Amino acid sequence: MDSASVTLKSNTGEALNPSESLPAESCALFLDVDGTLLPIAPRPQDVRVPPFLLSLLADIQNRLEGALALVSGRCVGELDALFSPLRLSAAGVHGLERRKSAGDTATGGQEDVLKPLRQPLADFAESHPGLLLEDKGLAMALHFRQAPELEDEAERMVATLLRNSGAALELQHGKMVLEVKPKGANKGTAVAAFMKEPPFRGRVPVFVGDDVTDEDGFEAVNRLGGLSVKVGAAGEATKATYRLQDEAAVHAWLTKFSADRTRV
């Protein structure tokens, strides 16, 4: 990995100015998972976490005295299974679940509001080969990665269901996925809540993510005076102020973050 891929660059291509960089120990680090720490797989259950990444995250967790959290569309329980034996602070289902550093978990939204949509979505997915319906309890995700030609039809179907469901639900777009979830929580609200609690409180937030679902997190850390980092090619519209090219660049940057005892 060349040094340029490790350096945070602004959306205009400029490297992070040393005068703007931060002592690593002053940071609170928030990391998306799929498309950021790990490549996106055809099916969510196909993802595996390499041992080197577990070791790297454990080192960073220790260095930051626990001020490291995963902020993902996955459920917290699924994150625990993926990253076992690590048990990190985590926000799941785009902020609808949040486990604090002390270990207690708060949830927002009710599964009951999704009940009328479960069977219609299941029937739709079953009748359209290539679609995958993921039931997260607090949200429903319709993946069309293996059938991209069905995107428009799937979106029309989901939009119809939402019109008939009242005002409690919203559609969340992601990479090759349509997700229906209760309103009122997102990755930005999760980050903001973490920042009010130890060990995150008083630190400078750094959020790294790749998808449209991470834009709320970028906006939150920008508002708090932190660093927002978009993973992906230059030129993609984003609220993030810095970027890394891909998951490999994220790994290289985290390795530098872990090893650098002064600035990040």
Side-chain angles (χ1 to χ4, degrees):
M1 185 63 59
D2 60 63
S3 60
S5 65
V6 178
T7 303
L8 291 182
K9 292 186 177 181
S10 73
N11 286 321
T12 60
E14 298 171 348
L16 179 65
N17 188 320
S19 66
E20 298 174 341
S21 62
L22 304 165
E25 283 79 2
S26 74
C27 294
L29 187 57
F30 301 96
L31 300 171
D32 173 52
V33 175
D34 296 276
T36 298
L37 288 177
L38 304 170
I40 296 175
R43 301 181 305 165
Q45 61 267 37
D46 293 336
V47 169
R48 298 292 182 272
V49 181
F52 85 85
L53 184 56
L54 292 175
S55 177
L56 179 58
L57 292 176
D59 288 344
I60 294 173
Q61 182 188 35
N62 289 335
R63 184 179 181 190
L64 297 184
E65 299 179 333
L68 166 65
L70 302 176
V71 183
S72 173
R74 292 178 182 263
C75 303
V76 169
E78 191 175 353
L79 293 173
D80 285 345
L82 266 178
F83 289 88
S84 178
L86 289 183
R87 187 175 173 86
L88 303 170
S89 295
V93 199
H94 308 292
L96 287 168
E97 291 182 310
R98 193 172 67 86
R99 184 175 62 223
K100 306 175 186 180
S101 62
D104 52 323
T105 300
T107 60
Q110 299 295 324
E111 294 184 32
D112 288 349
V113 298
L114 290 165
K115 186 175 181 180
L117 281 70
R118 282 193 160 85
Q119 195 58 52
L121 284 172
D123 292 342
F124 182 78
E126 186 175 355
S127 64
H128 291 76
L131 294 183
L132 172 66
L133 182 64
E134 182 186 8
D135 190 340
K136 303 179 181 181
L138 292 171
M140 303 284 290
L142 187 62
H143 298 264
F144 53 88
R145 181 170 299 278
Q146 298 182 73
E149 70 280 3
L150 294 176
E151 178 180 3
D152 290 343
E153 185 178 354
E155 186 160 2
R156 286 194 297 270
M157 190 271 182
V158 172
T160 299
L161 290 175
L162 286 178
R163 280 196 299 271
N164 297 331
S165 68
L169 298 172
E170 64 182 355
L171 173 60
Q172 176 102 51
H173 289 82
K175 288 183 175 178
M176 311 297 280
V177 62
L178 302 169
E179 191 153 355
V180 180
K181 69 179 190 67
K183 293 180 178 179
N186 56 51
K187 292 186 178 183
T189 60
V191 169
F194 277 124
M195 290 301 297
K196 294 177 181 178
E197 305 162 353
F200 303 91
R201 186 170 56 215
R203 293 172 175 264
V204 179
V206 179
F207 185 94
V208 188
D210 73 300
D211 204 349
V212 64
T213 60
D214 299 308
E215 293 295 324
D216 294 310
F218 298 151
E219 187 173 19
V221 300
N222 291 344
R223 188 168 57 248
L224 292 168
L227 295 179
S228 52
V229 185
K230 166 80 171 183
V231 181
E236 295 180 3
T238 181
K239 296 173 184 174
T241 51
Y242 295 95
R243 64 176 173 83
L244 289 166
Q245 184 174 350
D246 51 25
E247 297 93 343
V250 174
H251 297 164
W253 180 76
L254 288 175
T255 299
K256 181 176 181 293
F257 184 99
S258 177
D260 189 341
R261 297 302 170 184
T262 54
R263 317 292 288 185
V264 67

